[in-house]
mmCIF file with all atom_site columns, all heavy atoms in Angstrom:
data_model
loop_
_atom_site.group_PDB
_atom_site.id
_atom_site.type_symbol
_atom_site.label_atom_id
_atom_site.label_alt_id
_atom_site.label_comp_id
_atom_site.label_asym_id
_atom_site.label_entity_id
_atom_site.label_seq_id
_atom_site.pdbx_PDB_ins_code
_atom_site.Cartn_x
_atom_site.Cartn_y
_atom_site.Cartn_z
_atom_site.occupancy
_atom_site.B_iso_or_equiv
_atom_site.pdbx_formal_charge
_atom_site.auth_seq_id
_atom_site.auth_comp_id
_atom_site.auth_asym_id
_atom_site.auth_atom_id
_atom_site.pdbx_PDB_model_num
ATOM 1   N N   . PRO A 1 1  ? 23.687 -4.720 -70.876 1.00 46.00 ? 1  PRO A N   1
ATOM 2   C CA  . PRO A 1 1  ? 22.614 -5.356 -71.628 1.00 46.00 ? 1  PRO A CA  1
ATOM 3   C C   . PRO A 1 1  ? 21.621 -4.323 -72.103 1.00 46.00 ? 1  PRO A C   1
ATOM 4   O O   . PRO A 1 1  ? 21.344 -3.335 -71.431 1.00 46.00 ? 1  PRO A O   1
ATOM 5   C CB  . PRO A 1 1  ? 21.986 -6.309 -70.588 1.00 46.00 ? 1  PRO A CB  1
ATOM 6   C CG  . PRO A 1 1  ? 23.007 -6.463 -69.519 1.00 46.00 ? 1  PRO A CG  1
ATOM 7   C CD  . PRO A 1 1  ? 23.791 -5.197 -69.482 1.00 46.00 ? 1  PRO A CD  1
ATOM 8   N N   . ALA A 1 2  ? 21.105 -4.528 -73.283 1.00 41.00 ? 2  ALA A N   1
ATOM 9   C CA  . ALA A 1 2  ? 20.175 -3.555 -73.866 1.00 41.00 ? 2  ALA A CA  1
ATOM 10  C C   . ALA A 1 2  ? 18.970 -3.339 -72.976 1.00 41.00 ? 2  ALA A C   1
ATOM 11  O O   . ALA A 1 2  ? 18.413 -2.251 -72.905 1.00 41.00 ? 2  ALA A O   1
ATOM 12  C CB  . ALA A 1 2  ? 19.729 -4.012 -75.253 1.00 41.00 ? 2  ALA A CB  1
ATOM 13  N N   . SER A 1 3  ? 18.540 -4.374 -72.268 1.00 38.00 ? 3  SER A N   1
ATOM 14  C CA  . SER A 1 3  ? 17.340 -4.255 -71.456 1.00 38.00 ? 3  SER A CA  1
ATOM 15  C C   . SER A 1 3  ? 17.567 -3.423 -70.209 1.00 38.00 ? 3  SER A C   1
ATOM 16  O O   . SER A 1 3  ? 16.621 -2.876 -69.652 1.00 38.00 ? 3  SER A O   1
ATOM 17  C CB  . SER A 1 3  ? 16.846 -5.656 -71.046 1.00 38.00 ? 3  SER A CB  1
ATOM 18  O OG  . SER A 1 3  ? 17.865 -6.336 -70.322 1.00 38.00 ? 3  SER A OG  1
ATOM 19  N N   . SER A 1 4  ? 18.841 -3.309 -69.753 1.00 40.00 ? 4  SER A N   1
ATOM 20  C CA  . SER A 1 4  ? 19.107 -2.583 -68.515 1.00 40.00 ? 4  SER A CA  1
ATOM 21  C C   . SER A 1 4  ? 19.625 -1.184 -68.755 1.00 40.00 ? 4  SER A C   1
ATOM 22  O O   . SER A 1 4  ? 19.706 -0.391 -67.826 1.00 40.00 ? 4  SER A O   1
ATOM 23  C CB  . SER A 1 4  ? 20.133 -3.341 -67.666 1.00 40.00 ? 4  SER A CB  1
ATOM 24  O OG  . SER A 1 4  ? 21.368 -3.441 -68.370 1.00 40.00 ? 4  SER A OG  1
ATOM 25  N N   . SER A 1 5  ? 20.020 -0.866 -69.937 1.00 53.00 ? 5  SER A N   1
ATOM 26  C CA  . SER A 1 5  ? 20.556 0.458  -70.222 1.00 53.00 ? 5  SER A CA  1
ATOM 27  C C   . SER A 1 5  ? 19.427 1.423  -70.543 1.00 53.00 ? 5  SER A C   1
ATOM 28  O O   . SER A 1 5  ? 18.328 1.040  -70.917 1.00 53.00 ? 5  SER A O   1
ATOM 29  C CB  . SER A 1 5  ? 21.539 0.406  -71.392 1.00 53.00 ? 5  SER A CB  1
ATOM 30  O OG  . SER A 1 5  ? 20.870 0.024  -72.570 1.00 53.00 ? 5  SER A OG  1
ATOM 31  N N   . ALA A 1 6  ? 19.760 2.745  -70.396 1.00 56.00 ? 6  ALA A N   1
ATOM 32  C CA  . ALA A 1 6  ? 18.761 3.772  -70.692 1.00 56.00 ? 6  ALA A CA  1
ATOM 33  C C   . ALA A 1 6  ? 18.378 3.737  -72.160 1.00 56.00 ? 6  ALA A C   1
ATOM 34  O O   . ALA A 1 6  ? 17.207 3.882  -72.519 1.00 56.00 ? 6  ALA A O   1
ATOM 35  C CB  . ALA A 1 6  ? 19.305 5.153  -70.314 1.00 56.00 ? 6  ALA A CB  1
ATOM 36  N N   . ALA A 1 7  ? 19.409 3.552  -73.025 1.00 54.00 ? 7  ALA A N   1
ATOM 37  C CA  . ALA A 1 7  ? 19.104 3.489  -74.452 1.00 54.00 ? 7  ALA A CA  1
ATOM 38  C C   . ALA A 1 7  ? 18.309 2.239  -74.795 1.00 54.00 ? 7  ALA A C   1
ATOM 39  O O   . ALA A 1 7  ? 17.483 2.252  -75.726 1.00 54.00 ? 7  ALA A O   1
ATOM 40  C CB  . ALA A 1 7  ? 20.404 3.528  -75.258 1.00 54.00 ? 7  ALA A CB  1
ATOM 41  N N   . GLY A 1 8  ? 18.537 1.152  -74.056 1.00 58.00 ? 8  GLY A N   1
ATOM 42  C CA  . GLY A 1 8  ? 17.807 -0.073 -74.336 1.00 58.00 ? 8  GLY A CA  1
ATOM 43  C C   . GLY A 1 8  ? 16.315 0.071  -74.132 1.00 58.00 ? 8  GLY A C   1
ATOM 44  O O   . GLY A 1 8  ? 15.520 -0.601 -74.800 1.00 58.00 ? 8  GLY A O   1
ATOM 45  N N   . ARG A 1 9  ? 15.906 0.936  -73.215 1.00 68.00 ? 9  ARG A N   1
ATOM 46  C CA  . ARG A 1 9  ? 14.487 1.144  -72.970 1.00 68.00 ? 9  ARG A CA  1
ATOM 47  C C   . ARG A 1 9  ? 13.811 1.857  -74.122 1.00 68.00 ? 9  ARG A C   1
ATOM 48  O O   . ARG A 1 9  ? 12.580 1.919  -74.187 1.00 68.00 ? 9  ARG A O   1
ATOM 49  C CB  . ARG A 1 9  ? 14.305 1.920  -71.666 1.00 68.00 ? 9  ARG A CB  1
ATOM 50  C CG  . ARG A 1 9  ? 14.635 1.094  -70.427 1.00 68.00 ? 9  ARG A CG  1
ATOM 51  C CD  . ARG A 1 9  ? 14.177 1.800  -69.173 1.00 68.00 ? 9  ARG A CD  1
ATOM 52  N NE  . ARG A 1 9  ? 15.034 2.937  -68.853 1.00 68.00 ? 9  ARG A NE  1
ATOM 53  C CZ  . ARG A 1 9  ? 16.120 2.857  -68.088 1.00 68.00 ? 9  ARG A CZ  1
ATOM 54  N NH1 . ARG A 1 9  ? 16.493 1.681  -67.592 1.00 68.00 ? 9  ARG A NH1 1
ATOM 55  N NH2 . ARG A 1 9  ? 16.841 3.930  -67.832 1.00 68.00 ? 9  ARG A NH2 1
ATOM 56  N N   . LEU A 1 10 ? 14.613 2.431  -75.029 1.00 70.00 ? 10 LEU A N   1
ATOM 57  C CA  . LEU A 1 10 ? 14.039 3.078  -76.203 1.00 70.00 ? 10 LEU A CA  1
ATOM 58  C C   . LEU A 1 10 ? 13.777 2.104  -77.340 1.00 70.00 ? 10 LEU A C   1
ATOM 59  O O   . LEU A 1 10 ? 13.170 2.480  -78.352 1.00 70.00 ? 10 LEU A O   1
ATOM 60  C CB  . LEU A 1 10 ? 14.986 4.181  -76.702 1.00 70.00 ? 10 LEU A CB  1
ATOM 61  C CG  . LEU A 1 10 ? 15.281 5.330  -75.736 1.00 70.00 ? 10 LEU A CG  1
ATOM 62  C CD1 . LEU A 1 10 ? 16.329 6.245  -76.336 1.00 70.00 ? 10 LEU A CD1 1
ATOM 63  C CD2 . LEU A 1 10 ? 14.008 6.101  -75.414 1.00 70.00 ? 10 LEU A CD2 1
ATOM 64  N N   . SER A 1 11 ? 14.231 0.855  -77.191 1.00 69.00 ? 11 SER A N   1
ATOM 65  C CA  . SER A 1 11 ? 14.121 -0.109 -78.289 1.00 69.00 ? 11 SER A CA  1
ATOM 66  C C   . SER A 1 11 ? 12.671 -0.385 -78.670 1.00 69.00 ? 11 SER A C   1
ATOM 67  O O   . SER A 1 11 ? 12.368 -0.657 -79.833 1.00 69.00 ? 11 SER A O   1
ATOM 68  C CB  . SER A 1 11 ? 14.820 -1.416 -77.911 1.00 69.00 ? 11 SER A CB  1
ATOM 69  O OG  . SER A 1 11 ? 16.192 -1.189 -77.659 1.00 69.00 ? 11 SER A OG  1
ATOM 70  N N   . GLY A 1 12 ? 11.796 -0.318 -77.693 1.00 66.00 ? 12 GLY A N   1
ATOM 71  C CA  . GLY A 1 12 ? 10.392 -0.572 -78.010 1.00 66.00 ? 12 GLY A CA  1
ATOM 72  C C   . GLY A 1 12 ? 9.687  0.615  -78.628 1.00 66.00 ? 12 GLY A C   1
ATOM 73  O O   . GLY A 1 12 ? 8.531  0.485  -79.046 1.00 66.00 ? 12 GLY A O   1
ATOM 74  N N   . ILE A 1 13 ? 10.375 1.748  -78.689 1.00 75.00 ? 13 ILE A N   1
ATOM 75  C CA  . ILE A 1 13 ? 9.748  2.965  -79.224 1.00 75.00 ? 13 ILE A CA  1
ATOM 76  C C   . ILE A 1 13 ? 10.367 3.361  -80.558 1.00 75.00 ? 13 ILE A C   1
ATOM 77  O O   . ILE A 1 13 ? 9.663  3.748  -81.484 1.00 75.00 ? 13 ILE A O   1
ATOM 78  C CB  . ILE A 1 13 ? 9.890  4.124  -78.211 1.00 75.00 ? 13 ILE A CB  1
ATOM 79  C CG1 . ILE A 1 13 ? 9.302  3.721  -76.855 1.00 75.00 ? 13 ILE A CG1 1
ATOM 80  C CG2 . ILE A 1 13 ? 9.225  5.385  -78.730 1.00 75.00 ? 13 ILE A CG2 1
ATOM 81  C CD1 . ILE A 1 13 ? 9.547  4.745  -75.766 1.00 75.00 ? 13 ILE A CD1 1
ATOM 82  N N   . LEU A 1 14 ? 11.700 3.267  -80.643 1.00 77.00 ? 14 LEU A N   1
ATOM 83  C CA  . LEU A 1 14 ? 12.426 3.724  -81.826 1.00 77.00 ? 14 LEU A CA  1
ATOM 84  C C   . LEU A 1 14 ? 13.047 2.556  -82.554 1.00 77.00 ? 14 LEU A C   1
ATOM 85  O O   . LEU A 1 14 ? 13.302 1.492  -81.958 1.00 77.00 ? 14 LEU A O   1
ATOM 86  C CB  . LEU A 1 14 ? 13.521 4.715  -81.411 1.00 77.00 ? 14 LEU A CB  1
ATOM 87  C CG  . LEU A 1 14 ? 13.052 5.977  -80.683 1.00 77.00 ? 14 LEU A CG  1
ATOM 88  C CD1 . LEU A 1 14 ? 14.254 6.773  -80.184 1.00 77.00 ? 14 LEU A CD1 1
ATOM 89  C CD2 . LEU A 1 14 ? 12.187 6.836  -81.592 1.00 77.00 ? 14 LEU A CD2 1
ATOM 90  N N   . PRO A 1 15 ? 13.341 2.698  -83.852 1.00 77.00 ? 15 PRO A N   1
ATOM 91  C CA  . PRO A 1 15 ? 14.041 1.639  -84.594 1.00 77.00 ? 15 PRO A CA  1
ATOM 92  C C   . PRO A 1 15 ? 15.420 1.373  -83.991 1.00 77.00 ? 15 PRO A C   1
ATOM 93  O O   . PRO A 1 15 ? 16.055 2.271  -83.430 1.00 77.00 ? 15 PRO A O   1
ATOM 94  C CB  . PRO A 1 15 ? 14.153 2.217  -86.006 1.00 77.00 ? 15 PRO A CB  1
ATOM 95  C CG  . PRO A 1 15 ? 13.077 3.251  -86.092 1.00 77.00 ? 15 PRO A CG  1
ATOM 96  C CD  . PRO A 1 15 ? 12.946 3.823  -84.723 1.00 77.00 ? 15 PRO A CD  1
ATOM 97  N N   . GLN A 1 16 ? 15.898 0.166  -84.146 1.00 78.00 ? 16 GLN A N   1
ATOM 98  C CA  . GLN A 1 16 ? 17.164 -0.218 -83.539 1.00 78.00 ? 16 GLN A CA  1
ATOM 99  C C   . GLN A 1 16 ? 18.348 0.607  -84.039 1.00 78.00 ? 16 GLN A C   1
ATOM 100 O O   . GLN A 1 16 ? 19.233 0.965  -83.247 1.00 78.00 ? 16 GLN A O   1
ATOM 101 C CB  . GLN A 1 16 ? 17.424 -1.714 -83.785 1.00 78.00 ? 16 GLN A CB  1
ATOM 102 C CG  . GLN A 1 16 ? 18.596 -2.267 -82.987 1.00 78.00 ? 16 GLN A CG  1
ATOM 103 C CD  . GLN A 1 16 ? 18.396 -2.084 -81.490 1.00 78.00 ? 16 GLN A CD  1
ATOM 104 O OE1 . GLN A 1 16 ? 17.312 -2.296 -80.967 1.00 78.00 ? 16 GLN A OE1 1
ATOM 105 N NE2 . GLN A 1 16 ? 19.455 -1.683 -80.798 1.00 78.00 ? 16 GLN A NE2 1
ATOM 106 N N   . PRO A 1 17 ? 18.446 0.943  -85.344 1.00 77.00 ? 17 PRO A N   1
ATOM 107 C CA  . PRO A 1 17 ? 19.576 1.797  -85.770 1.00 77.00 ? 17 PRO A CA  1
ATOM 108 C C   . PRO A 1 17 ? 19.598 3.146  -85.066 1.00 77.00 ? 17 PRO A C   1
ATOM 109 O O   . PRO A 1 17 ? 20.662 3.657  -84.724 1.00 77.00 ? 17 PRO A O   1
ATOM 110 C CB  . PRO A 1 17 ? 19.351 1.948  -87.277 1.00 77.00 ? 17 PRO A CB  1
ATOM 111 C CG  . PRO A 1 17 ? 18.559 0.754  -87.668 1.00 77.00 ? 17 PRO A CG  1
ATOM 112 C CD  . PRO A 1 17 ? 17.661 0.465  -86.505 1.00 77.00 ? 17 PRO A CD  1
ATOM 113 N N   . VAL A 1 18 ? 18.436 3.739  -84.846 1.00 80.00 ? 18 VAL A N   1
ATOM 114 C CA  . VAL A 1 18 ? 18.365 5.015  -84.139 1.00 80.00 ? 18 VAL A CA  1
ATOM 115 C C   . VAL A 1 18 ? 18.806 4.840  -82.690 1.00 80.00 ? 18 VAL A C   1
ATOM 116 O O   . VAL A 1 18 ? 19.564 5.650  -82.141 1.00 80.00 ? 18 VAL A O   1
ATOM 117 C CB  . VAL A 1 18 ? 16.943 5.593  -84.209 1.00 80.00 ? 18 VAL A CB  1
ATOM 118 C CG1 . VAL A 1 18 ? 16.836 6.872  -83.372 1.00 80.00 ? 18 VAL A CG1 1
ATOM 119 C CG2 . VAL A 1 18 ? 16.546 5.867  -85.648 1.00 80.00 ? 18 VAL A CG2 1
ATOM 120 N N   . VAL A 1 19 ? 18.341 3.774  -82.057 1.00 81.00 ? 19 VAL A N   1
ATOM 121 C CA  . VAL A 1 19 ? 18.733 3.494  -80.675 1.00 81.00 ? 19 VAL A CA  1
ATOM 122 C C   . VAL A 1 19 ? 20.240 3.299  -80.571 1.00 81.00 ? 19 VAL A C   1
ATOM 123 O O   . VAL A 1 19 ? 20.878 3.730  -79.611 1.00 81.00 ? 19 VAL A O   1
ATOM 124 C CB  . VAL A 1 19 ? 17.984 2.261  -80.151 1.00 81.00 ? 19 VAL A CB  1
ATOM 125 C CG1 . VAL A 1 19 ? 18.477 1.893  -78.752 1.00 81.00 ? 19 VAL A CG1 1
ATOM 126 C CG2 . VAL A 1 19 ? 16.485 2.516  -80.122 1.00 81.00 ? 19 VAL A CG2 1
ATOM 127 N N   . GLY A 1 20 ? 20.833 2.648  -81.585 1.00 79.00 ? 20 GLY A N   1
ATOM 128 C CA  . GLY A 1 20 ? 22.278 2.448  -81.580 1.00 79.00 ? 20 GLY A CA  1
ATOM 129 C C   . GLY A 1 20 ? 23.037 3.761  -81.618 1.00 79.00 ? 20 GLY A C   1
ATOM 130 O O   . GLY A 1 20 ? 24.047 3.929  -80.923 1.00 79.00 ? 20 GLY A O   1
ATOM 131 N N   . VAL A 1 21 ? 22.569 4.715  -82.412 1.00 79.00 ? 21 VAL A N   1
ATOM 132 C CA  . VAL A 1 21 ? 23.220 6.026  -82.467 1.00 79.00 ? 21 VAL A CA  1
ATOM 133 C C   . VAL A 1 21 ? 23.076 6.749  -81.132 1.00 79.00 ? 21 VAL A C   1
ATOM 134 O O   . VAL A 1 21 ? 24.027 7.370  -80.630 1.00 79.00 ? 21 VAL A O   1
ATOM 135 C CB  . VAL A 1 21 ? 22.628 6.866  -83.617 1.00 79.00 ? 21 VAL A CB  1
ATOM 136 C CG1 . VAL A 1 21 ? 23.220 8.276  -83.611 1.00 79.00 ? 21 VAL A CG1 1
ATOM 137 C CG2 . VAL A 1 21 ? 22.902 6.203  -84.962 1.00 79.00 ? 21 VAL A CG2 1
ATOM 138 N N   . VAL A 1 22 ? 21.889 6.689  -80.535 1.00 83.00 ? 22 VAL A N   1
ATOM 139 C CA  . VAL A 1 22 ? 21.663 7.321  -79.230 1.00 83.00 ? 22 VAL A CA  1
ATOM 140 C C   . VAL A 1 22 ? 22.608 6.733  -78.186 1.00 83.00 ? 22 VAL A C   1
ATOM 141 O O   . VAL A 1 22 ? 23.245 7.464  -77.404 1.00 83.00 ? 22 VAL A O   1
ATOM 142 C CB  . VAL A 1 22 ? 20.197 7.153  -78.796 1.00 83.00 ? 22 VAL A CB  1
ATOM 143 C CG1 . VAL A 1 22 ? 20.001 7.661  -77.365 1.00 83.00 ? 22 VAL A CG1 1
ATOM 144 C CG2 . VAL A 1 22 ? 19.267 7.887  -79.750 1.00 83.00 ? 22 VAL A CG2 1
ATOM 145 N N   . ALA A 1 23 ? 22.703 5.407  -78.159 1.00 82.00 ? 23 ALA A N   1
ATOM 146 C CA  . ALA A 1 23 ? 23.564 4.746  -77.175 1.00 82.00 ? 23 ALA A CA  1
ATOM 147 C C   . ALA A 1 23 ? 25.024 5.140  -77.376 1.00 82.00 ? 23 ALA A C   1
ATOM 148 O O   . ALA A 1 23 ? 25.757 5.368  -76.407 1.00 82.00 ? 23 ALA A O   1
ATOM 149 C CB  . ALA A 1 23 ? 23.398 3.232  -77.280 1.00 82.00 ? 23 ALA A CB  1
ATOM 150 N N   . THR A 1 24 ? 25.455 5.228  -78.625 1.00 80.00 ? 24 THR A N   1
ATOM 151 C CA  . THR A 1 24 ? 26.842 5.607  -78.905 1.00 80.00 ? 24 THR A CA  1
ATOM 152 C C   . THR A 1 24 ? 27.129 7.029  -78.439 1.00 80.00 ? 24 THR A C   1
ATOM 153 O O   . THR A 1 24 ? 28.177 7.297  -77.837 1.00 80.00 ? 24 THR A O   1
ATOM 154 C CB  . THR A 1 24 ? 27.127 5.479  -80.412 1.00 80.00 ? 24 THR A CB  1
ATOM 155 O OG1 . THR A 1 24 ? 26.893 4.133  -80.822 1.00 80.00 ? 24 THR A OG1 1
ATOM 156 C CG2 . THR A 1 24 ? 28.558 5.865  -80.722 1.00 80.00 ? 24 THR A CG2 1
ATOM 157 N N   . ASP A 1 25 ? 26.216 7.956  -78.708 1.00 79.00 ? 25 ASP A N   1
ATOM 158 C CA  . ASP A 1 25 ? 26.411 9.341  -78.273 1.00 79.00 ? 25 ASP A CA  1
ATOM 159 C C   . ASP A 1 25 ? 26.521 9.422  -76.755 1.00 79.00 ? 25 ASP A C   1
ATOM 160 O O   . ASP A 1 25 ? 27.389 10.120 -76.215 1.00 79.00 ? 25 ASP A O   1
ATOM 161 C CB  . ASP A 1 25 ? 25.242 10.207 -78.748 1.00 79.00 ? 25 ASP A CB  1
ATOM 162 C CG  . ASP A 1 25 ? 25.341 10.538 -80.228 1.00 79.00 ? 25 ASP A CG  1
ATOM 163 O OD1 . ASP A 1 25 ? 26.438 10.384 -80.801 1.00 79.00 ? 25 ASP A OD1 1
ATOM 164 O OD2 . ASP A 1 25 ? 24.320 10.952 -80.820 1.00 79.00 ? 25 ASP A OD2 1
ATOM 165 N N   . TRP A 1 26 ? 25.655 8.721  -76.060 1.00 82.00 ? 26 TRP A N   1
ATOM 166 C CA  . TRP A 1 26 ? 25.666 8.802  -74.600 1.00 82.00 ? 26 TRP A CA  1
ATOM 167 C C   . TRP A 1 26 ? 26.908 8.143  -74.015 1.00 82.00 ? 26 TRP A C   1
ATOM 168 O O   . TRP A 1 26 ? 27.451 8.617  -73.008 1.00 82.00 ? 26 TRP A O   1
ATOM 169 C CB  . TRP A 1 26 ? 24.400 8.155  -74.044 1.00 82.00 ? 26 TRP A CB  1
ATOM 170 C CG  . TRP A 1 26 ? 23.159 8.977  -74.305 1.00 82.00 ? 26 TRP A CG  1
ATOM 171 C CD1 . TRP A 1 26 ? 23.114 10.233 -74.839 1.00 82.00 ? 26 TRP A CD1 1
ATOM 172 C CD2 . TRP A 1 26 ? 21.809 8.607  -74.037 1.00 82.00 ? 26 TRP A CD2 1
ATOM 173 N NE1 . TRP A 1 26 ? 21.812 10.676 -74.928 1.00 82.00 ? 26 TRP A NE1 1
ATOM 174 C CE2 . TRP A 1 26 ? 20.988 9.710  -74.438 1.00 82.00 ? 26 TRP A CE2 1
ATOM 175 C CE3 . TRP A 1 26 ? 21.204 7.485  -73.507 1.00 82.00 ? 26 TRP A CE3 1
ATOM 176 C CZ2 . TRP A 1 26 ? 19.605 9.684  -74.309 1.00 82.00 ? 26 TRP A CZ2 1
ATOM 177 C CZ3 . TRP A 1 26 ? 19.809 7.458  -73.385 1.00 82.00 ? 26 TRP A CZ3 1
ATOM 178 C CH2 . TRP A 1 26 ? 19.026 8.549  -73.779 1.00 82.00 ? 26 TRP A CH2 1
ATOM 179 N N   . LYS A 1 27 ? 27.374 7.046  -74.616 1.00 80.00 ? 27 LYS A N   1
ATOM 180 C CA  . LYS A 1 27 ? 28.595 6.414  -74.119 1.00 80.00 ? 27 LYS A CA  1
ATOM 181 C C   . LYS A 1 27 ? 29.794 7.329  -74.304 1.00 80.00 ? 27 LYS A C   1
ATOM 182 O O   . LYS A 1 27 ? 30.646 7.450  -73.421 1.00 80.00 ? 27 LYS A O   1
ATOM 183 C CB  . LYS A 1 27 ? 28.830 5.095  -74.859 1.00 80.00 ? 27 LYS A CB  1
ATOM 184 C CG  . LYS A 1 27 ? 27.891 3.974  -74.441 1.00 80.00 ? 27 LYS A CG  1
ATOM 185 C CD  . LYS A 1 27 ? 28.166 2.707  -75.235 1.00 80.00 ? 27 LYS A CD  1
ATOM 186 C CE  . LYS A 1 27 ? 27.207 1.582  -74.836 1.00 80.00 ? 27 LYS A CE  1
ATOM 187 N NZ  . LYS A 1 27 ? 27.434 0.348  -75.634 1.00 80.00 ? 27 LYS A NZ  1
ATOM 188 N N   . ARG A 1 28 ? 29.887 7.965  -75.472 1.00 77.00 ? 28 ARG A N   1
ATOM 189 C CA  . ARG A 1 28 ? 30.995 8.901  -75.699 1.00 77.00 ? 28 ARG A CA  1
ATOM 190 C C   . ARG A 1 28 ? 30.960 10.047 -74.696 1.00 77.00 ? 28 ARG A C   1
ATOM 191 O O   . ARG A 1 28 ? 31.994 10.462 -74.182 1.00 77.00 ? 28 ARG A O   1
ATOM 192 C CB  . ARG A 1 28 ? 30.919 9.454  -77.123 1.00 77.00 ? 28 ARG A CB  1
ATOM 193 C CG  . ARG A 1 28 ? 31.254 8.443  -78.215 1.00 77.00 ? 28 ARG A CG  1
ATOM 194 C CD  . ARG A 1 28 ? 30.973 9.038  -79.585 1.00 77.00 ? 28 ARG A CD  1
ATOM 195 N NE  . ARG A 1 28 ? 31.299 8.115  -80.662 1.00 77.00 ? 28 ARG A NE  1
ATOM 196 C CZ  . ARG A 1 28 ? 30.985 8.315  -81.942 1.00 77.00 ? 28 ARG A CZ  1
ATOM 197 N NH1 . ARG A 1 28 ? 30.347 9.431  -82.294 1.00 77.00 ? 28 ARG A NH1 1
ATOM 198 N NH2 . ARG A 1 28 ? 31.312 7.424  -82.855 1.00 77.00 ? 28 ARG A NH2 1
ATOM 199 N N   . ALA A 1 29 ? 29.775 10.544 -74.430 1.00 76.00 ? 29 ALA A N   1
ATOM 200 C CA  . ALA A 1 29 ? 29.647 11.652 -73.484 1.00 76.00 ? 29 ALA A CA  1
ATOM 201 C C   . ALA A 1 29 ? 30.035 11.223 -72.074 1.00 76.00 ? 29 ALA A C   1
ATOM 202 O O   . ALA A 1 29 ? 30.673 11.985 -71.336 1.00 76.00 ? 29 ALA A O   1
ATOM 203 C CB  . ALA A 1 29 ? 28.216 12.189 -73.494 1.00 76.00 ? 29 ALA A CB  1
ATOM 204 N N   . ARG A 1 30 ? 29.662 10.018 -71.689 1.00 76.00 ? 30 ARG A N   1
ATOM 205 C CA  . ARG A 1 30 ? 29.973 9.540  -70.340 1.00 76.00 ? 30 ARG A CA  1
ATOM 206 C C   . ARG A 1 30 ? 31.461 9.252  -70.176 1.00 76.00 ? 30 ARG A C   1
ATOM 207 O O   . ARG A 1 30 ? 32.044 9.537  -69.125 1.00 76.00 ? 30 ARG A O   1
ATOM 208 C CB  . ARG A 1 30 ? 29.155 8.278  -70.050 1.00 76.00 ? 30 ARG A CB  1
ATOM 209 C CG  . ARG A 1 30 ? 29.313 7.779  -68.604 1.00 76.00 ? 30 ARG A CG  1
ATOM 210 C CD  . ARG A 1 30 ? 28.421 6.596  -68.315 1.00 76.00 ? 30 ARG A CD  1
ATOM 211 N NE  . ARG A 1 30 ? 28.809 5.416  -69.074 1.00 76.00 ? 30 ARG A NE  1
ATOM 212 C CZ  . ARG A 1 30 ? 28.126 4.908  -70.076 1.00 76.00 ? 30 ARG A CZ  1
ATOM 213 N NH1 . ARG A 1 30 ? 27.003 5.502  -70.462 1.00 76.00 ? 30 ARG A NH1 1
ATOM 214 N NH2 . ARG A 1 30 ? 28.534 3.826  -70.711 1.00 76.00 ? 30 ARG A NH2 1
#
């Protein structure tokens, strides 16, 4: 869930498209 993930905590700071790219990069890395 967006609220429980590390990238989800960025939703209140950054635009959602940017957060989506961040989340994708981190998932690929993991």
Side-chain angles (χ1 to χ4, degrees):
S3 59
S4 62
S5 64
R9 289 192 287 270
L10 299 174
S11 299
I13 304 173
L14 301 173
Q16 190 58 42
V18 175
V19 175
V21 175
V22 173
T24 301
D25 284 343
W26 289 353
K27 286 179 181 178
R28 289 173 179 171
R30 186 176 67 251

